Amino acid sequence: MKRFLKAGLALAIAGTGLAHAATELVIATVNNGHMIEMQKLTKFFEQANPDIKLKWVTLEEGTLRQRVTTDIATKGGQFDVMTIGMYETPIWAKKGWLIPIATDAAYDVDDLLPAMRNGLSADGKLYAAPFYGESSMLMYRKDLADKVGFKMPDQPTWTQVKELAGKVHDPKNGVYGICLRGKPGWGDNMALLTTMVNTNGGQWFDTSWKPQIDSKPWHDAISFYVDLMKSYGPPGASANSFNENLALFNEGKCGMWVDATIAASFVSDPKQSRVADKVAFAQAPVAVTPKGANWLWAWALAIPAGSQKVDAAQTFIKWATSKDYINLVAKEEGWGSVPTGTRKSTYANPEFVKAARFAEAEKKAIDTANPNDSTLPKSPYVGVQYAAIPEFQAIGVAVGQQMSAALSGKVTVDQALKTSQTTAEREMKKAGYYK
């Protein structure tokens, strides 16, 4: 009798779904186009892995960084998979905050672009798998350039960019000469502005870790930027980052835009962009040196050490960053919509090259970005558009706020740089870099 009761109880439990409750993975990610697309494809993963359910927490870039940094530092355990970048990965790996990515032969880790694999590794181990990778490039309206008789070089100077911006600036008809990031944040306006400082011959810190924000290259770069945007940028530019400028460009309101190479697939997509057939691409602009003119970044998926669902997280990450996932997006949305900047096989695929007019310029930008040698004077840090030290996040945010204030006219460029220098010196002294 007891045996039958036990059997009946087991069947009852199974009937309620408690016997094989699915593992729920909580994934923190950024609200960029490719991540939104991944969420739409959730059903394909869950069909192949019925024992795993995905729960998405989608956040704006700055908020995402704050949330995941707080969670991982406090071992909060809110998230099982985090979307992080090249800045955080090596720092957090060395602190023991991340679980290494367990790749297998089918994943083909050697197919990852060397720049991406190296930037997401520590001590030879991959600690985050790249979902998409990027450098920065110039996207411009070729029809407008042709109309004013301007031939864009493959790698223009910032002076040439300003010249074209002035010629195509037509606010009465809703076209602004250039759109650039102005929203404060170390990964927002400072990503662009650091490349402008680099190419003007500047750096964040000298070899003694002394901040260099009040130096001539910083003055040259920021003064040029503020003047360019005040003369030929859209109104309210100090509130614009990647997504805001993408929307403006796709609506036909920007003559030019310097930003992440990943934007190329969106601005050239007729389903998203009114000017898809009018866009052309060039390398990021340069000033006194090509060093550090174009950034290097990957949005990557990582497993915090506090996760209790590591096996399921490994399964998901291998799916989302695989060749098969890229093929799935191609099948569902077309080769022009796949996440790029991660795998050699993508760029070797003739269907991708045919669909993506930007492929050659994008890969060239990624291949030429060197985080180990991104400044004209020797620097003690790794990183193109950031310095890979824990203190940089706070410094970058504070400096970004000052640069945004200078753009909106609340302070002068000189005041913004002086305040930024003082803040950076205080942070570096407090952290013990120098006395």
Side-chain angles (χ1 to χ4, degrees):
M1 184 67 182
K2 285 182 181 176
R3 193 168 68 241
F4 289 121
L5 282 172
K6 283 182 182 176
L9 184 60
L11 283 168
I13 291 171
T16 63
L18 296 175
H20 298 286
T23 299
E24 184 181 73
L25 276 186
V26 182
I27 304 165
T29 196
V30 68
N31 64 340
N32 290 348
H34 284 303
M35 275 66 177
I36 304 298
E37 181 62 36
M38 176 166 50
Q39 290 169 53
K40 290 182 193 169
L41 300 174
T42 291
K43 62 181 181 183
F44 291 98
F45 175 79
E46 291 182 345
Q47 283 166 7
N49 300 275
D51 55 334
I52 303 173
K53 296 292 175 200
L54 305 182
K55 181 181 178 183
W56 298 92
V57 179
T58 309
L59 303 163
E60 182 269 336
E61 191 169 316
T63 309
L64 173 80
R65 289 199 166 105
Q66 290 169 353
R67 289 274 300 273
V68 298
T69 301
T70 301
D71 188 63
I72 202 161
T74 60
K75 296 184 171 62
Q78 270 187 289
F79 308 115
D80 302 301
V81 175
M82 292 177 165
T83 306
I84 63 174
M86 285 190 173
Y87 166 70
E88 300 95 342
T89 303
I91 296 173
W92 291 1
K94 284 171 183 166
K95 288 177 179 281
W97 290 356
L98 298 174
I99 304 285
I101 304 300
T103 58
D104 52 25
Y107 184 79
D108 192 5
V109 74
D110 292 333
D111 185 49
L112 296 177
L113 293 175
M116 298 300 154
R117 185 177 175 182
N118 294 340
L120 297 168
S121 295
D123 300 323
K125 289 181 182 175
L126 191 69
Y127 278 90
F131 180 65
Y132 71 78
E134 64 184 33
S135 182
S136 52
M137 71 193 322
L138 173 70
M139 295 157 276
Y140 67 99
R141 288 278 299 279
K142 190 171 186 304
D143 60 322
L144 299 181
D146 288 347
K147 191 176 176 183
V148 298
F150 186 94
K151 182 164 173 50
M152 181 68 72
D154 179 51
Q155 183 154 51
T157 64
W158 274 106
T159 304
Q160 288 170 318
V161 165
K162 188 175 185 179
E163 180 192 341
L164 179 57
K167 288 182 175 180
V168 303
H169 187 60
D170 186 10
K172 285 181 182 174
N173 289 306
V175 177
Y176 305 100
I178 189 163
C179 295
L180 296 173
R181 297 184 182 196
K183 186 177 183 179
W186 73 264
D188 290 288
N189 62 344
M190 293 318 300
L192 171 78
L193 292 178
T194 301
T195 63
M196 292 183 75
V197 168
N198 292 341
T199 195
N200 273 281
Q203 62 190 152
W204 275 96
F205 309 102
D206 68 11
T207 50
S208 300
W209 289 106
K210 297 274 177 70
Q212 299 296 300
I213 304 169
D214 59 356
S215 63
K216 184 177 183 295
W218 274 83
H219 278 268
D220 291 346
I222 305 305
S223 298
F224 180 92
Y225 161 78
V226 169
D227 180 59
L228 175 67
M229 292 299 286
K230 283 184 174 176
S231 300
Y232 309 123
S238 60
N240 295 345
S241 193
F242 177 85
N243 284 327
E244 293 81 8
N245 284 326
L246 174 62
L248 285 170
F249 195 97
N250 281 347
E251 288 164 14
K253 294 183 177 179
C254 305
M256 282 177 288
W257 181 28
V258 180
D259 213 297
T261 52
I262 203 72
S265 62
F266 305 133
V267 300
S268 59
D269 179 3
K271 287 183 284 187
Q272 301 183 51
S273 171
R274 292 182 183 176
V275 293
D277 59 338
K278 300 176 176 67
V279 188
F281 308 95
Q283 294 301 299
V286 297
V288 303
T289 175
K291 279 193 173 187
N294 55 302
W295 72 60
L296 186 69
W297 185 255
W299 277 118
L301 302 175
I303 306 168
S307 172
Q308 302 299 309
K309 303 162 186 174
V310 173
D311 289 346
Q314 296 277 14
T315 299
F316 169 73
I317 288 175
K318 280 189 280 189
W319 173 80
T321 63
S322 66
K323 294 183 209 175
D324 287 343
Y325 177 82
I326 291 169
N327 289 328
L328 174 63
V329 177
K331 182 184 169 191
E332 295 295 311
E333 298 293 331
W335 274 102
S337 299
V338 302
T340 59
T342 59
R343 288 185 171 272
K344 300 171 193 172
S345 54
T346 303
Y347 295 92
N349 188 311
E351 290 182 79
F352 169 71
V353 174
K354 184 181 175 184
R357 291 184 286 114
F358 54 85
E360 185 182 348
E362 177 184 56
K363 188 158 187 299
K364 182 178 180 182
I366 290 170
D367 289 345
T368 54
N370 184 355
N372 296 304
D373 185 22
S374 64
T375 57
L376 194 57
K378 192 168 173 55
S379 293
Y381 55 87
V382 172
V384 183
Q385 77 281 22
Y386 57 86
I389 56 172
E391 294 73 21
F392 178 76
Q393 193 161 344
I395 293 170
V397 167
V399 175
Q401 288 166 343
Q402 289 298 314
M403 299 307 115
S404 191
L407 178 59
S408 62
K410 292 174 184 170
V411 297
T412 66
V413 169
D414 284 355
Q415 286 171 326
L417 292 172
K418 187 177 180 183
T419 302
S420 297
Q421 176 73 14
T422 301
T423 301
E425 285 178 356
R426 186 175 63 242
E427 289 291 329
M428 295 302 278
K429 282 179 182 174
K430 189 170 77 176
Y433 283 83
Y434 62 91
K435 293 178 182 177

